[in-house]
Amino acid sequence: MALSPAEQGLEGHVEAEQALIDQAATGDMVAFRALYDLHVGYVSRNVARLTGPGPEVEDLTQDVFVQVYKSLAQYRGDCAFKTWLYRVTRNVTIDHLRKRRVTTVELDAWRPLRGGPDAWSRLEARDLCRVLHAALQTVAIEYREAFLLHEVEGMKLREIADLTEESINTVAARIRRTREKLQAILEQKAKEGDHV
């Protein structure tokens, strides 16, 4: 059965990426740089999603690629390279967060959520983003990760379960508990009369 042009293009991309992986695993720095260039945005976005925006995102992204370089020879192709790369990113970031154990709140967090055309709506939206981001920082990283992958990235429970190597029930429970905690925090803020 013949492949469609789109399938041929995808197959060609996968083969080209695998060739880069194989070359980089042998120490070829040109191939590793090509892999880096291809995936640095993906890694950076995932680090930022787990840590929140801030100056450490760039440093952690570099740490991820150091780990990728050290571990690349162990990649066997049992899963998609991006899945393996996400797991490395997740492990490096979680290790960093466990060592840090300090929560920070960036006022520019959740910037993609914007209010209406008037300044007051934008200010209210930014305040809500700040509160949501601060609330998410109080949730364990595994819960935050599942919630953000589902709610922000739009991933299905099965995809998150496969990516995090957890059961679907565990992922669903983490998302549900995170929603409940966020709801409780927002309700408490409303009772305190905080402007949200």
Side-chain angles (χ1 to χ4, degrees):
M1 186 171 177
L3 296 175
S4 71
E7 290 170 326
Q8 289 173 358
L10 180 60
E11 187 175 292
H13 172 75
V14 171
E15 289 173 2
E17 183 177 65
Q18 189 58 51
L20 285 175
I21 293 166
D22 294 342
Q23 292 168 348
T26 65
D28 183 332
M29 292 307 292
V30 172
F32 185 77
R33 178 60 194 216
L35 275 177
Y36 173 88
D37 290 343
L38 194 60
H39 296 290
V40 68
Y42 174 77
V43 169
S44 182
R45 283 189 304 277
N46 283 303
V47 168
R49 184 182 311 115
L50 294 169
T51 64
E56 65 190 352
V57 170
E58 188 175 330
D59 290 339
L60 280 171
T61 298
Q62 296 306 313
D63 291 348
V64 167
F65 279 100
V66 167
Q67 187 60 45
V68 166
Y69 184 76
K70 291 177 181 176
S71 306
L72 198 55
Q74 297 162 2
Y75 172 67
R76 299 286 176 235
D78 300 341
C79 60
F81 182 72
K82 263 191 162 177
T83 301
W84 181 82
L85 183 58
Y86 179 82
R87 288 178 184 150
V88 173
T89 302
R90 178 180 187 258
N91 291 340
V92 168
T93 305
I94 288 174
D95 285 348
H96 169 77
L97 291 173
R98 285 185 178 141
K99 289 176 190 170
R100 186 181 76 176
R101 288 289 184 205
V102 175
T103 58
T104 59
V105 177
E106 296 286 336
L107 294 179
D108 290 340
W110 298 64
R111 186 171 284 272
L113 299 175
R114 296 220 160 113
D118 65 68
W120 186 255
S121 294
R122 286 192 304 275
L123 181 60
E124 286 178 329
R126 191 166 66 200
D127 286 346
L128 176 59
C129 291
R130 180 185 50 78
V131 170
L132 287 171
H133 181 68
L136 276 172
Q137 295 301 311
T138 68
V139 175
I141 184 71
E142 294 84 3
Y143 287 72
R144 183 181 338 148
E145 174 186 40
F147 179 81
L148 290 171
L149 287 172
H150 185 67
E151 297 297 330
V152 176
E153 295 298 316
M155 292 178 74
K156 295 184 177 357
L157 295 179
R158 167 55 59 202
E159 293 172 304
I160 299 168
D162 290 345
L163 200 57
T164 61
E165 299 178 319
E166 298 287 352
S167 72
I168 289 179
N169 289 338
T170 298
V171 169
R174 287 177 177 172
I175 293 168
R176 185 183 69 254
R177 289 183 186 137
T178 303
R179 276 191 195 123
E180 290 168 356
K181 182 162 186 167
L182 291 176
Q183 186 64 40
I185 289 170
L186 291 174
E187 288 172 1
Q188 183 61 38
K189 292 284 185 188
K191 284 180 186 174
E192 292 171 0
D194 285 356
H195 182 70
V196 178

